[in-house]
Each structure stands twice: as structure tokens, then as C-alpha cells.
Amino acid sequence: MKIVVKGITECKIDIGPEEAFKALCGTLSMPFVCDELHDYYVSSDGMVWRTVNGRDEQVDDRGDLFIALRNVAVNLFPNTIFRNDPYIYRRV
């Protein structure tokens, strides 16, 4: 015998801005946006690179999105290590 149950479930979850931002980055398959352990840069062709042990490795090809998310991170959390990186747009 099969029983079919249809309904609407409402679940309220209280999360802070940091968890919400990390969830957004994870959903976009870019969790490295929040990574403060490695140095990142965006090349002129829009590729995102990470420097690990003196070697560069390509991480992603969405440089503009990376820069935009990093700028959001700097505005949400001003004490990030990458706040002075050259690709961060400074507020005037």
C-alpha cells in the first residue's frame, strides 16, 4: 500500500550574515572567496589564481564575480586580511 502525503512545511532558521555569505559562496561553487590562508589575484584575462608555496594555480574563470564577492566580504567584515588587495574597490 502506498500513502501519499502532500503538504507545505515552513521552517525558520536564524542565521547570521557570515553564514549567509558563506552559503552564497558555496552555492556559487566559490568557497575560496572566504579563504584568507592563501593569496589570490585576478589576471588580465579574468582568471582567478591562487599562490600556494610560491606556485600559482588557476582556481576559477569568473574573475569579475570573485572581485564582486570579495568586495561584499570586505564591506560585511572589514577586518579581513584581503581588504587591501589591489583588486578591492575602496569606498570613497
Side-chain angles (χ1 to χ4, degrees):
M1 173 168 46
K2 287 186 176 180
I3 298 174
V4 178
V5 178
K6 292 184 180 181
I8 297 175
T9 303
E10 184 177 314
C11 179
K12 293 184 180 183
I13 300 173
D14 195 22
I15 61 171
E18 184 172 332
E19 292 92 5
F21 184 72
K22 285 183 180 181
L24 171 65
C25 293
T27 301
L28 294 170
S29 299
M30 297 182 83
F32 53 88
V33 168
C34 301
D35 180 14
E36 294 186 276
L37 300 177
H38 300 98
D39 291 325
Y40 290 87
Y41 68 92
V42 179
S43 60
S44 60
D45 59 354
M47 300 294 180
V48 181
W49 297 82
R50 172 175 56 196
T51 304
V52 179
N53 296 329
R55 297 183 57 149
D56 294 340
E57 58 184 39
Q58 184 179 342
V59 180
D60 204 288
D61 61 351
R62 299 173 287 173
D64 290 338
L65 181 58
F66 174 76
I67 291 171
L69 289 172
R70 279 274 172 118
N71 278 290
V72 170
V74 167
N75 284 298
L76 281 175
F77 320 107
N79 291 330
T80 57
I81 292 175
F82 51 82
R83 69 183 173 272
N84 292 322
D85 284 356
Y87 53 82
I88 297 295
Y89 303 129
R90 300 205 181 9
R91 273 174 113 172
V92 179

